Amino acid sequence: MAGSIASPLLLLLNMAGALLAPRAPQTQSLPSSADDGDEVDFCFFPFLVLYKSGRVQRFMGTDTVPASVDPATGVSSKDVSINDDAPSAGLAVRIYLPAQAKANGTAKLPLVVFYHGGGFVTESAFSPMYQRYLNALASKAGVLVVSVDYHLSPEHRLPAGYDDAWAALQWALRSARSGLAEPWLHRHADLTRLFLIGDSAGGNIAHNMAMRADREGGLPGGATIEGIALLDPYFWGKRPVPSETRDPEERRMKEQSWSFICAGKYGADDPVINPVAMAGEEWRRHLTCARVLVTVAGLDVLSARGRAYVRALRASGWAGEVELYETPGENHVYFLLKPDGEKAAMEMEAVVAFINGRRVSTASGRKFVQEK
């Protein structure tokens, strides 16, 4: 999302984006096919239009900022290209190193591998919105962050994004072991404290990477995932869960948008989009982490599915700890759009506390539930 757009407009776009539904556009709001003879094939409101020629026009999430030293936090960032070979040519990451690591050249820090949101179709690791959020997270939590710039749909339909996310995770762990590819990781990453974190679509990716780690026979160097934090995660399913919309047209449009993202490869009840449908044995066998944090926003249409994820995980007999953090009266990923607000600060503290192994105390205006 463009950093120059006013916050109220960003919020409106975000609310619409949370619906993840293609809509018939107003004639004046979209490029007309008469302008260049290129007919519209699919409108994924409010993110993009795909034309029948294959051309993609994005309306948000395309602004970038360079890596830098953040004057507010002292966090340093840099970009690294990690794979120039097919099928993931051009895969890159942005790495964040907090000031405390620079002050102590041998400091070992928790490693966070972060996956950005954007409906699998927009945003990047170089977005000003994520640059701000991850500078703050690296500083407040005292963590080394690897933010993954996975390829986007529809140019690269799922599972391309999942495969990129997996390749980047493996690269980060190998680099931390060998030091040949990236000295920051080799010098500072503590692989006994590995966390996968993502918002919206990135939360979906973080969950699926934790499941994939077991299915692929483990992580490089014997690394294990301590925790995953799914921030307003993007999950869905054919049948509504408690408190989820039952409007048939709205549900049809959500299924249609998901089919667009993955070119129909995964159905609406495939575990990659609907982990709630998994059998308990699947959770117990494959979810390779000790702790899970799920955050939801009370006004977010996706919040019901996030709560259902927590209930399903708890009911599965999975041996770890799962925590639910809810912010009433807010919309999908509000903490990115309104980062200076009190609620955003409290949610950041919840994520920091989760990484550092502390339980967040209950405060006015939020709910925090821990289950074993």
Side-chain angles (χ1 to χ4, degrees):
M1 298 177 187
S4 59
I5 299 177
S7 294
L9 178 56
L10 278 173
L11 183 57
L12 289 173
L13 290 172
N14 179 66
M15 291 167 62
L19 296 176
L20 296 169
R23 304 286 179 84
Q26 297 291 328
T27 303
Q28 66 270 24
S29 65
L30 283 173
S32 168
S33 59
D35 292 343
D36 58 7
D38 199 353
E39 295 182 29
V40 172
D41 181 61
F42 192 87
C43 174
F44 191 1
F45 179 82
F47 300 125
L48 58 79
V49 166
L50 172 65
Y51 294 92
K52 289 186 177 180
S53 67
R55 180 168 63 93
V56 177
Q57 185 172 10
R58 289 182 170 82
F59 301 104
M60 57 196 301
T62 59
D63 283 4
T64 62
V65 292
S68 64
V69 177
D70 181 47
T73 62
V75 173
S76 297
S77 58
K78 66 177 176 179
D79 298 335
V80 181
S81 177
I82 69 174
N83 193 342
D84 293 325
D85 300 322
S88 48
L91 183 58
V93 298
R94 177 163 290 180
I95 307 176
Y96 295 81
L97 184 70
Q100 51 265 54
K102 292 182 287 184
N104 181 352
T106 62
K108 291 288 187 180
L109 306 173
L111 174 62
V112 169
V113 178
F114 185 87
Y115 304 108
H116 68 80
F120 294 98
V121 300
T122 192
E123 293 294 350
S124 76
F126 316 123
S127 157
M129 183 168 65
Y130 288 104
Q131 178 83 351
R132 176 168 180 166
Y133 182 82
L134 293 176
N135 276 328
L137 180 65
S139 177
K140 293 178 183 296
V143 294
L144 183 65
V145 180
V146 175
S147 181
V148 181
D149 194 50
Y150 56 89
H151 288 87
L152 300 175
S153 185
E155 297 93 337
H156 305 272
R157 309 282 184 137
L158 290 180
Y162 292 141
D163 291 340
D164 283 350
W166 180 248
L169 175 59
Q170 291 181 302
W171 173 87
L173 299 177
R174 287 195 300 266
S175 296
R177 291 293 187 190
S178 70
L180 297 178
E182 176 41 55
W184 280 7
L185 288 167
H186 182 61
R187 196 173 299 136
H188 297 293
D190 181 352
L191 298 188
T192 69
R193 293 182 291 168
L194 171 63
F195 294 86
L196 308 185
I197 300 179
D199 72 286
S200 194
N204 175 299
I205 292 173
H207 159 81
N208 280 296
M209 293 307 100
M211 299 289 288
R212 186 166 176 170
D214 179 75
R215 290 174 173 146
E216 295 280 349
L219 295 171
T224 58
I225 303 165
E226 179 175 340
I228 61 174
L230 316 181
L231 313 179
D232 295 5
Y234 172 25
F235 297 123
W236 197 247
K238 187 168 285 292
R239 291 166 294 280
V241 296
S243 78
E244 195 172 71
T245 180
R246 294 178 176 271
D247 179 82
E249 180 63 14
E250 188 173 354
R251 300 194 69 85
R252 183 194 67 80
M253 290 191 294
K254 288 179 176 61
E255 289 184 34
Q256 187 178 8
S257 64
W258 170 247
S259 183
F260 170 76
I261 291 165
C262 67
K265 181 177 178 63
Y266 305 109
D269 280 330
D270 191 286
V272 299
I273 186 64
N274 187 19
V276 171
M278 290 192 305
E281 182 182 0
E282 291 292 297
W283 292 99
R284 296 191 300 272
R285 178 184 298 175
H286 297 303
L287 187 58
T288 53
C289 60
R291 297 188 289 125
V292 173
L293 171 67
V294 178
T295 76
V296 298
L299 301 181
D300 181 6
V301 70
L302 300 178
S303 64
R305 192 67 52 161
R307 297 185 201 98
Y309 179 102
V310 172
R311 290 193 299 270
L313 180 53
R314 178 160 54 96
S316 72
W318 178 72
E321 297 180 356
V322 56
E323 301 167 299
L324 171 68
Y325 181 94
E326 180 168 356
T327 304
E330 292 292 348
N331 288 286
H332 189 64
V333 298
Y334 75 93
F335 50 88
L336 294 173
L337 299 177
K338 301 185 290 184
D340 295 323
E342 181 181 1
K343 290 181 181 179
M346 291 193 297
E347 175 142 336
M348 172 65 76
E349 176 55 31
V351 177
V352 170
F354 175 75
I355 292 171
N356 291 330
R358 305 192 314 269
R359 182 176 180 181
V360 178
S361 60
T362 302
S364 176
R366 66 185 181 190
K367 293 190 293 183
F368 189 83
V369 180
Q370 179 169 314
E371 301 284 357
K372 292 186 179 182

